Amino acid sequence: EMLTTMNPEQVEAYLHLGFVSAQKGDKAKAINILEKAITIEPKRPNTYLLMGMLHSQSNNYDEAEKVYLRGIEANPNNAELRFNLGIVFDKLEKFEEMTGEMRKAIELDPTHENALNYLGYSYADRGINLDEAISLVERALAIKPDNGAYIDSLGWAYYKKGWFDKAI
């Protein structure tokens, strides 16, 4: 089929074909194509990100975890892979692992606003580390001051802290 006629050096074509297959709803084919792309170029983070997303969309978090771990093995300093693995850990109710990956994502990219907010909101939602939660969300808001989700997180952290006037 088409895969056998593509030039192995054209990993972008595999990524595009995998994306198109996913958009058409054929996730199994997309994952197969992305696996081929990984064999050609194992250090490309976007391949792992797309494949992990496909597994996550199917609520197949165990497989998503495996994909992101493979991606991190090939790209240990990629904040986006770590952030996405953190989300998967959260879905799998692995709180300590989630916080570790979010912290690593923030360490690798201190401006990773999504990781800042995710970790801050997670703390606020559990009613723990509230001062840190507020600080994390404030850092996200410093980057994107008009982001409604970040504003909501800050309000929730204030509420959990008992600062009701600030929360409103």
Side-chain angles (χ1 to χ4, degrees), residues 44-71:
R44 185 176 290 247
N46 287 350
T47 313
Y48 299 99
L49 287 167
L50 181 56
M51 194 178 341
M53 178 194 72
L54 291 172
H55 285 301
S56 291
Q57 285 175 344
S58 301
N59 297 326
N60 193 350
Y61 299 116
D62 290 327
E63 284 304 311
E65 177 185 352
K66 291 175 191 170
V67 168
Y68 290 134
L69 287 170
R70 286 171 54 205

Side-chain angles (χ1 to χ4, degrees), residues 62 65 69 85-86 88-100 126:
D62 290 327
E65 177 185 352
L69 287 170
L85 178 59
V88 166
F89 281 147
D90 195 26
K91 299 289 186 187
L92 292 170
E93 299 181 4
K94 296 179 177 181
F95 182 75
E96 294 301 318
E97 292 87 340
M98 180 275 288
T99 60
R126 287 165 178 80

Side-chain angles (χ1 to χ4, degrees), residues 8 11 13 19 28 43-45 56 66 71 79 99 101 113 115-116 118 129-130 142 145 150-152 163-164:
V11 78
F19 181 78
K43 292 207 176 274
R44 185 176 290 247
S56 291
K66 291 175 191 170
T99 60
E101 290 305 323
E113 71 211 50
L116 290 163
Y118 200 100
N129 303 341
L130 293 175
Y150 302 169
I151 294 167
D152 177 73
W163 298 346
F164 304 119

